Amino acid sequence: MAATVTKLAENNNTTANHGSHTSASFTPADNVVLLAFLFCDGDNGNAVSTATAAGGSLTWTRRAQDNINSGGFDAGVVVFSAVVTTSPGSMTCAVTLANNTDFSTLVIVQCTDSNDVAGAVANSAISDPTGALTLAATPASADTIVAARALYFLSGTAAATPGSGWTELSDTDTNAGTDFGVEVQYRSATTSTSVVWTDIDSSSVSSVFARLGAAIIVKAATTSYTLTAATGSYTISGKAAGLSIARKLAAAAGSYAISGKAATLRRGYRLTAATGSYSIGGVAAALRVDRKLVAAAGSYTITGRAAVLTKTYLNLVAGTGSYAITGVAAALRRGLSLAAAAGSYAITGQAATLRVGRKLVAATGTYNISGQAAAFLRSYALAGAAGAYTITGMAATLTWSGEGGFTLAAGTGSYAITGNAAALRVARKLVAAAGSYAITGNAAALAKGFKLAAAAGSYAITGVVAVMRAGRVLTAASGSYVISGFDATLTYAQPGAFNIGVSVPYWAIKQALASAIETNVPGTSAQIEVEFAPLENWVAIYTDTRTAPAEIQRAQDGRTTRFYVTHTIVCWRYATTWPLAASLRDALLGDVEAALMLDRTLGNLCETSWFEGGRFLSVPDNANPGAFWGGAEITFVADVTAMANAA
């Protein structure tokens, strides 16, 4: 039976430099297993390496622990277990740490129908988003797995989404920067060692210092029973009942209908049938859905040995001779015609069903197909053999076109090809030279070339695709196309005024960068062309250079120029210590880069954009010794095009 999982207590300790953590009071039930998950920071070193737990006169055992040191701070996770046979009443659990800590969170969980645990695992650096852990042992399907994850972060709301098949026990949002946000989930009926969440941080938090996780298997209570079954019929349900003695059930001769679940035999036996004829008898089995059972034409009599042979080395030998299919015609579910092509047929080759290849010898002679004429389902055209053909009909009046031949002049209009398709003995491709073809009037050449101006919208290329002998031009297949690129809407110019064209929106690009950062990175101030702002969380945006390499220019009457415009974006975070400032800076850098990758065109202000690295910076706060601004540059390049109007 799977355990019933309950959270009994959860509290935080934010006392500076404390060396122990005592839970809130709770009262456990009889015959349960208690779990204690503790998460803490560790500015003074590894606080969980030799941690111990006590309370309720119970024996608490440390099952797993882990510690991480990153960016100038530590964090740790430890899990304990204790078995309760008779409840001690109201009690607390006190965890003594190896080193002092400033922040810690303790969660107490109760599991019924258990008296043991196994396979505990702890990790102080689980990965986002799944927080995957691997148990140190394989659970049984009756066992229950309990897992907890904690986030140590600067700002926002800590929340998690449990994994598929997992049940969330609790998800506590605590004060960011001082406590841990802890989520507990559990599951049973699985033998997988994998522990995952759908998302360990399904909300939006910033500056996550540590992601910690732990999991443990709560073993189902084991009790042995012997079930003795009397002779009779049984329906298998629940867990498989083991029989104390295997017995054979002898069935009297008669007809039987198979019902119930399939009985699995402990040992396989061969049923040997005596030589003779057999007929299938008994009551017809009613089908859940009416279906037709279609039998091929012929007579059926089971003769010789039973289909299951006692020996596997016997050959079935067919005597030489002719065989005819006889019997009553089998009714088909639908009427189908069997069409035989005219000709002579000779039986050759080996019999398809013989274990040993034997030749069926047909006497020398001519064979004709006889019997009733086969009616065709549909008429087919007879393809003429390759040769010379004469076109007959009314003579076509030809117009003499001078030396070289005649021209057939067709009147303007639409034409449909009629007649039967000529089947070629060999398929050949008719290759058309690359180019465009249009059927018009008599002369195809235009007297004068005109430009066709297309309004903005969608166009479909129609006609027959031209097969090219070699790839020369890029041919668009038939279909629908959308003209894309810069906005085709033209700016209206007053009479007498001059419209210069489309210029590069330098300032608008910087405004778009600032808007993207402030919208997607909450709490961050984006400043344009500001040398320095004494803020704790801000981003500076500058325009540096622009280049116009010759190899990227597009020849359009010399009226367009393509530029690579380079910007420098500096992410600044302030903290009272350098390690914390660097950690906050790195988190802000990653958030800003992710925000700028959401829209590479900045709302169609540029064709695309990309990053080209950048430096890491530090500026000490002379007014507050030990405090720093941590900075990180992003070199941001925008691909833009300027266009001048035609005269």
Side-chain angles (χ1 to χ4, degrees), residues 226-230 241-247 266:
T226 300
L227 299 177
T228 303
L243 300 178
S244 57
I245 299 176
R247 302 181 184 277
R266 297 186 61 185

Side-chain angles (χ1 to χ4, degrees), residues 60-76:
W60 293 84
T61 303
R62 185 174 70 252
R63 297 297 182 177
Q65 76 281 331
D66 193 34
N67 181 79
I68 186 175
N69 184 298
S70 176
F73 64 90
D74 297 86

Side-chain angles (χ1 to χ4, degrees), residues 41-44 67-75 124-125 152 207-211 575-587:
D41 76 343
D43 290 342
N44 296 318
N67 181 79
I68 186 175
N69 184 298
S70 176
F73 64 90
D74 297 86
S124 57
Y152 186 23
S207 301
V208 178
F209 304 135
R211 301 176 177 88
T576 56
T577 64
W578 168 243
L580 182 56
S583 173
L584 298 177
R585 172 204 65 193
D586 294 347

Side-chain angles (χ1 to χ4, degrees), residues 355-431:
R355 296 188 61 185
V356 178
R358 300 181 185 279
K359 293 183 179 180
L360 299 178
V361 181
T364 303
T366 301
Y367 295 86
N368 295 323
I369 297 175
S370 61
Q372 188 173 344
F376 291 102
L377 284 173
R378 57 181 294 184
S379 299
Y380 292 91
L382 298 177
Y389 294 86
T390 301
I391 300 175
T392 61
M394 185 179 295
T397 302
L398 302 178
T399 301
W400 174 250
S401 59
E403 187 68 24
F406 294 90
T407 300
L408 296 178
T412 304
S414 300
Y415 295 86
I417 299 174
T418 62
N420 290 335
L424 301 178
R425 295 187 63 184
V426 179
R428 303 183 187 277
K429 293 183 178 179
L430 300 178
V431 181

Side-chain angles (χ1 to χ4, degrees), residues 47 50 70 103 106 115 150 199 219 336 361 426 444 467 480 505 617:
T50 59
S70 176
F103 315 116
L106 179 59
N115 52 24
D199 193 344
K219 304 293 291 182
L336 302 176
V361 181
V426 179
V467 180
S480 299
L617 310 171

